[in-house]
Amino acid sequence: MDTGNGSRTLRLRLRRQVEWAPVAAIVLLVVWAVAVASIVEGPNGTAGGIAMSVLGVPLAVIAVSSAAHLVRPLSVTVDADGLTVRLPAWPARCVPWSQISAVSLAPDEDQPRYVLVDCRAPVGGLPCTCRPRAAYRRLADTLHRPARAEGLCFETAVFDLDPAEMIGAVRAYAPVGLAAAHETGQ
């Protein structure tokens, strides 16, 4: 969607096939809360309750951050400054064009499955565990990226994303000389 102020915002909702994951995380959190309540009232209440409460903090963080995708989808705003990524449960962070070396579509037999944003430096301000950074690290070797390469990977299997639309937005706002195309050079 064009915002009219010299930028383009793409909202990346979860695909229907993936929406079960945040719902499952919420259900698991509710089960955990019920378990903590029953342990606290049992014979080992103090020690068991403290242990269960401490162990549940990471579970709560995962559940809240994944459930946030259902309420406020991930969005990418492309403008003259760079790519601004707003995770559902994290403040928006801009990756300036000066840190981006290329934006490309990973080749595939039928249709591109990944929009790759290759960066020259670490993607500051975004947590290492966020889906776009983690997917890039996971796929870097397969996609022939250098060891410890940094970047973002937007997966069309996870997000409702039109790769051509994202490449078009990047081409419209990226500085001259930034590669924004298929990896095959199209």
Side-chain angles (χ1 to χ4, degrees):
M1 127 172 69
D2 241 336
T3 59
N5 59 358
S7 66
R8 176 120 186 225
T9 299
L10 305 168
R11 302 224 187 288
L12 308 181
R13 297 189 184 287
L14 291 178
R15 289 206 176 271
R16 286 274 181 222
Q17 303 91 323
V18 182
E19 285 183 341
W20 65 267
V23 173
I26 294 169
V27 169
L28 187 60
L29 185 62
V30 169
V31 169
W32 168 79
V34 170
V36 167
S38 65
I39 287 175
V40 168
E41 293 183 12
N44 298 322
T46 305
I50 290 172
M52 282 289 286
S53 297
V54 169
L55 293 173
V57 170
L59 176 63
V61 169
I62 290 169
V64 168
S65 64
S66 63
H69 279 279
L70 299 174
V71 178
R72 183 175 135 180
L74 181 137
S75 70
V76 178
T77 301
V78 185
D79 59 18
D81 296 330
L83 298 176
T84 301
V85 179
R86 184 181 53 78
L87 300 171
W90 197 262
R93 299 291 188 222
C94 182
V95 181
W97 292 120
S98 62
Q99 288 184 2
I100 298 173
S101 58
V103 178
S104 59
L105 303 177
D108 196 21
E109 312 83 48
D110 302 337
Q111 188 168 327
R113 295 184 303 171
Y114 310 109
V115 176
L116 303 168
V117 179
D118 297 312
C119 296
R120 293 182 181 97
V123 185
L126 293 174
C128 293
T129 56
C130 76
R131 183 70 191 198
R133 283 190 74 183
Y136 189 91
R137 279 192 320 277
R138 181 177 43 106
L139 295 169
D141 187 44
T142 306
L143 298 170
H144 309 295
R145 297 301 190 265
R148 298 192 180 176
E150 288 284 337
L152 302 170
C153 175
F154 299 98
E155 302 163 285
T156 61
V158 175
F159 299 106
D160 190 16
L161 164 69
D162 178 8
E165 182 181 13
M166 183 174 254
I167 291 292
V170 169
R171 284 182 178 156
Y173 294 100
V176 175
L178 178 73
H182 289 275
E183 292 224 334
T184 58
Q186 296 176 347

